């Protein structure tokens, strides 16, 4: 039983952290169950901390009257806006280094610019586009990722059903950062 495990960990001097991704997807009943879990205590001390991660659609759910008791338990809230062009480049380079990338294929400066332009700096979109660009590069046995490759791949993604990668417009960027 979950409650027993949490209490057991607390008695052993450990704290439990529950991380829930895609926080916009659970029903209000499921979110209420998460709130109830915060009532688990040992010796009057909270034994479980929960981090809820979600897309921008999660904000109105949390703000709704039905989620008031859950909202009262929120200690901190943070909205991660889109990355800047420089941050987008740093993000892509970091992800490449994490998989032991050593410069092959080489990324042209223009390729990073196109990644930013087509994703608006939204990490999930960056991941989708870069994964597809790298697949294209691997199939083509390319040793350089160019702006043209990113442009072509972004166009293909925007045509694919459900790709979630429409060219970023000033309106969509404003909505993403709101």
């Amino acid at each position: 039983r979950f409650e027993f495990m949490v209490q057991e960990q607390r008695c052993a001097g450990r704290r439990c952290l529950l991380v829930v991704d895609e926080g916009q997807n659970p029903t209000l009943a499921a979110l209420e169950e998460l709130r109830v879990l915060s009532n688990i205590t040992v010796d009057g001390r909270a034994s479980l901390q929960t981090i809820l991660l979600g897309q921008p659609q999660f904000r109105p759910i949390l703000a709704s009257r039905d989620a008031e008791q859950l909202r009262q338990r929120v200690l901190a809230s943070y909205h991660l806006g889109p990355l800047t062009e420089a941050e987008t480049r740093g993000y892509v380079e970091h992800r490449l280094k994490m998989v032991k990338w050593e410069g092959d294929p080489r990324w042209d400066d223009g390729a990073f610019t196109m990644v930013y332009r087509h994703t608006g700096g939204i990490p999930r979109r960056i991941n989708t586009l870069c994964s597809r660009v790298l697949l294209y590069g691997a199939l083509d046995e390319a040793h350089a990722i160019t702006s043209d490759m990113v442009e072509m791949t972004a166009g293909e993604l925007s045509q694919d059903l459900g790709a979630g990668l429409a060219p970023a417009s000033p309106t969509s960027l404003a909505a993403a950062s709101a």
Side-chain angles (χ1 to χ4, degrees), residues 109-161:
D109 290 338
F112 289 111
T113 299
M114 286 296 111
V115 167
Y116 175 74
R117 286 190 186 156
H118 284 284
T119 64
I122 297 170
R124 184 172 289 195
R125 291 181 177 183
I126 295 168
N127 296 345
T128 301
L129 177 56
C130 288
S131 292
R132 184 73 73 96
V133 166
L134 287 167
L135 175 62
Y136 170 61
L139 293 173
D140 208 33
E141 297 182 12
H143 293 281
I145 303 297
T146 66
S147 59
D148 289 343
M149 290 170 72
V150 174
E151 186 75 32
M152 183 185 74
T153 305
E156 289 174 0
L157 276 173
S158 68
Q159 291 179 347
D160 288 351
L161 288 176

Side-chain angles (χ1 to χ4, degrees), residues 25-58:
N25 292 336
T27 64
L28 283 171
L31 291 173
E32 174 61 14
E33 288 182 37
L34 287 173
R35 184 197 65 78
V36 170
L37 290 176
S38 70
N39 292 333
I40 300 173
T41 60
V42 173
D43 298 328
R45 297 178 65 189
S47 300
L48 177 70
Q49 288 187 323
T50 304
I51 296 178
L52 295 170
L53 305 168
Q55 298 294 313
Q57 302 89 327
F58 184 52

Side-chain angles (χ1 to χ4, degrees), residues 168-175:
S169 68
T171 306
S172 67
L173 290 179

Side-chain angles (χ1 to χ4, degrees), residues 29-120:
L31 291 173
E32 174 61 14
E33 288 182 37
L34 287 173
R35 184 197 65 78
V36 170
L37 290 176
S38 70
N39 292 333
I40 300 173
T41 60
V42 173
D43 298 328
R45 297 178 65 189
S47 300
L48 177 70
Q49 288 187 323
T50 304
I51 296 178
L52 295 170
L53 305 168
Q55 298 294 313
Q57 302 89 327
F58 184 52
R59 286 181 158 234
I61 293 168
L62 191 58
S64 74
R65 291 181 56 161
D66 295 330
E68 184 174 347
Q69 289 186 343
L70 175 63
R71 193 173 50 255
Q72 291 171 356
R73 305 280 172 106
V74 174
L75 297 176
S77 166
Y78 183 77
H79 175 76
L80 177 65
L83 303 175
T84 66
E85 186 172 343
E87 290 170 332
T88 297
R89 180 184 186 129
Y91 177 74
V92 171
E93 288 173 336
H94 171 75
R95 287 183 53 96
L96 289 167
K97 288 174 187 168
M98 295 308 296
V99 295
K100 310 292 187 223
W101 172 71
E102 295 178 358
D104 188 13
R106 174 182 49 80
W107 282 67
D108 293 347
D109 290 338
F112 289 111
T113 299
M114 286 296 111
V115 167
Y116 175 74
R117 286 190 186 156
H118 284 284
T119 64

